[in-house]
Amino acid sequence: MKPIYLDHMSTTPIDPRVRELMIAYLGGAESNTFGNANSPHYYGYEAKNAIELAREKVASLVHCDPLGIVWTSGATEANNLAIKGIANFYQRQGRHIITSTIEHKSVIECCQYLATQGFEISYLKPSSDGLIDPMQLEKLIRRDTILISLMHANNEIGTIQKIEKIGAIAQARGVLFHVDAAQSAGKIPLDLKKWPIDLMSFSAHKIYGPKGIGALYIRTNPRLHLVPLLHGGTQENSRRAGTLATHQIVGMGEAFSIAQRQMHEDGLRQQYLIEKLKNALNDIGNVSINGSTKHRLPHNLNLSFADLDHELLVGALKDLAISTTSACYASPSHVRTNQKSYVLKAIGLGDDLINNSLRISIGRFTTEAEMEQVIFHLKQTVASLRKNHEK
Ligand code: PMP
């Protein structure tokens, strides 16, 4: 039997409706979909039309101008384009950037790179429930601050930041605001028409779309400038060179469109399953939920189990495909254990709890029967590990 998949924050399976559309756009010679979207002929126009429709679908989910959507290879590239692109364009106005200690590696590593290039980075610390305090952020803004980069929902503990409030502060102080929405888009409502946000990163594979495609929203009114990462052709208004991957883009558009139709209903169903798991925790005992229980994504729980031996839990849960931390900084595949979570460390957990933590994230296709199995395995495994621990 295959293990039950509980790692949707790392990636999601493709929705069959997305796959079907992508196959139609993989484009053999007999089709009319294989053209280069930049070519000025029938085949090019067919590809371009499909890409523009996908752009509208992505923009529609987050309520933004489709012209602000720039295709990238994923949220990693979108984060790089936003942070390095703005830093390079605005460096004469200032060289100070604010971010936090619980960002995704693709934000933290960008900032660390910029620090080697003469930029100064301030790292905000979250409270013990994983939330960034907007007032604390405001205190860090200086005359030379050019950018604030924060994630909307955290990829380990699922906490949701007050980005609307932070955006208002950034706008009032004349600082650009970038939000990494890789984990929140398609899970909770986003409204770029109402929220004062200048740049936002997206990824398709977190919401039942293909891997290797994402997008960066760049404010269009007034138009925001940045230095591209890739130099080459004039694709994407010269903001991201390279022939567009029609099938990937069409897949991302469809995934976003399905999310727009189903997000509410999916969220309620997943919340119900997560509540079931939460209720079962009382029977297990000595387990804590990491991150705010109020401001969080509906499909995730990050748990720490006390009274267990060092790092035995994940290995013992063989019937569950589960992780302790973000796949982006797990050790190479020949080593079984992950590196320690810097997110759990940042919210104040000690090594014992970090070593016995689980990031559980369910998805659109997780069933109630599977959740019952998960609860069964968790109860049994923790009880037997604790028995050994007592000996
Ligand atoms: N930001 C966050 C918050 C993420 O969770 C991830 C994926 N782990 C990324 C960025 C990177 O996305 P991608 O895999 O599309 O590069």
Side-chain angles (χ1 to χ4, degrees):
M1 260 227 322
K2 285 195 293 186
I4 298 171
Y5 189 69
L6 295 174
D7 203 11
H8 288 79
M9 284 176 125
S10 144
T11 196
T12 56
I14 290 218
D15 189 296
R17 293 164 287 184
V18 170
R19 183 173 48 205
E20 206 172 303
L21 199 65
M22 285 181 71
I23 289 170
Y25 280 90
L26 274 168
E30 76 297 343
S31 76
N32 53 3
T33 62
F34 64 82
N36 182 325
N38 256 20
S39 299
H41 52 61
Y42 171 79
Y43 296 98
Y45 299 146
E46 287 290 307
K48 185 163 173 51
N49 287 343
I51 285 169
E52 293 317 311
L53 183 59
R55 202 187 301 276
E56 280 167 24
K57 289 177 179 175
V58 169
S60 172
L61 175 70
V62 298
H63 305 284
C64 75
D65 178 358
L67 292 175
I69 296 292
V70 172
W71 303 114
T72 63
S73 61
T76 296
E77 187 188 327
N79 286 342
N80 272 262
L81 178 57
I83 297 169
K84 291 181 193 160
I86 290 295
N88 285 328
F89 195 89
Y90 288 93
Q91 57 183 309
R92 264 183 239 108
Q93 286 181 27
R95 297 189 132 228
H96 179 234
I97 294 170
I98 300 172
T99 187
S100 91
T101 54
I102 56 167
E103 298 304 306
H104 187 261
K105 277 276 178 191
S106 56
V107 167
I108 291 185
E109 293 286 327
C110 263
C111 289
Q112 284 177 353
Y113 164 73
L114 287 173
T116 68
Q117 305 298 303
F119 289 84
E120 216 183 309
I121 318 291
S122 295
Y123 293 92
L124 277 158
K125 292 192 184 75
S127 60
S128 59
D129 56 3
L131 298 175
I132 298 293
D133 175 5
M135 295 304 131
Q136 197 196 342
L137 178 139
E138 187 161 22
K139 283 188 204 143
L140 289 182
I141 297 177
R142 317 188 311 208
R143 282 181 65 179
D144 61 342
T145 308
I146 49 169
L147 178 68
I148 296 167
S149 178
L150 292 174
M151 64 198 343
H152 190 195
N154 185 270
N155 51 309
E156 286 195 41
I157 53 178
T159 45
I160 299 167
Q161 304 299 342
K162 297 172 185 135
I163 53 167
E164 203 180 340
K165 203 162 180 186
I166 293 168
I169 293 171
Q171 193 179 47
R173 300 290 297 270
V175 178
L176 294 173
F177 185 32
H178 164 244
V179 175
D180 175 357
Q183 293 289 346
S184 61
K187 307 282 165 48
I188 51 174
L190 288 171
D191 194 341
L192 287 169
K193 234 190 210 109
K194 283 204 198 126
W195 300 350
I197 289 167
D198 302 292
L199 304 120
M200 187 173 264
S201 302
F202 306 109
S203 178
H205 74 97
K206 307 286 184 188
I207 48 170
Y208 312 94
K211 294 165 187 56
I213 184 76
L216 178 67
Y217 159 76
I218 306 173
R219 193 190 69 203
T220 53
N221 187 19
R223 189 165 168 204
L224 190 58
H225 297 277
L226 45 66
V227 176
L229 294 176
L230 304 182
H231 297 91
T234 57
Q235 291 93 349
E236 302 299 271
N237 282 328
S238 299
R239 293 174 295 186
R240 205 274 191 172
T243 303
L244 292 170
T246 314
H247 59 295
Q248 299 286 86
I249 291 170
V250 162
M252 178 160 172
E254 190 60 11
F256 273 56
S257 187
I258 294 169
Q260 189 164 19
R261 298 198 297 275
Q262 282 189 215
M263 181 167 62
H264 182 67
E265 183 187 305
D266 278 359
L268 287 177
R269 206 183 63 82
Q270 289 166 26
Q271 180 110 54
Y272 163 76
L273 296 181
I274 288 289
E275 282 302 317
K276 238 181 135 103
L277 174 61
K278 250 168 135 178
N279 292 337
L281 298 179
N282 295 328
D283 300 340
I284 296 175
N286 282 349
V287 46
S288 46
I289 296 174
N290 297 317
S292 165
T293 48
K294 194 165 158 220
H295 304 285
R296 62 179 311 109
L297 293 172
H299 68 302
N300 145 281
L301 261 194
N302 192 305
L303 303 171
S304 284
F305 296 80
D307 306 331
L308 284 179
D309 282 339
H310 209 63
E311 292 186 57
L312 285 181
L313 189 56
V314 173
L317 289 164
K318 286 193 255 337
D319 297 309
L320 311 181
I322 207 166
S323 67
T324 53
T325 183
S326 163
C328 296
Y329 55 99
S331 306
S333 55
H334 61 278
V335 185
R336 231 204 107 76
T337 52
N338 288 338
Q339 275 181 28
K340 281 199 181 61
S341 162
Y342 61 81
V343 174
L344 296 182
K345 211 175 174 72
I347 62 169
L349 263 66
D351 280 356
D352 273 4
L353 287 179
I354 295 177
N355 289 334
N356 281 309
S357 64
L358 296 178
R359 176 181 72 163
I360 295 174
S361 47
I362 60 169
R364 184 176 288 160
F365 307 109
T366 308
T367 63
E368 189 156 7
E370 282 180 320
M371 186 48 97
E372 275 156 17
Q373 283 289 309
V374 170
I375 292 168
F376 172 79
H377 285 301
L378 256 185
K379 278 186 182 169
Q380 264 210 335
T381 308
V382 173
S384 83
L385 288 175
R386 281 199 177 136
K387 229 181 233 159
N388 290 339
H389 177 73
E390 279 163 16
K391 280 180 195 163

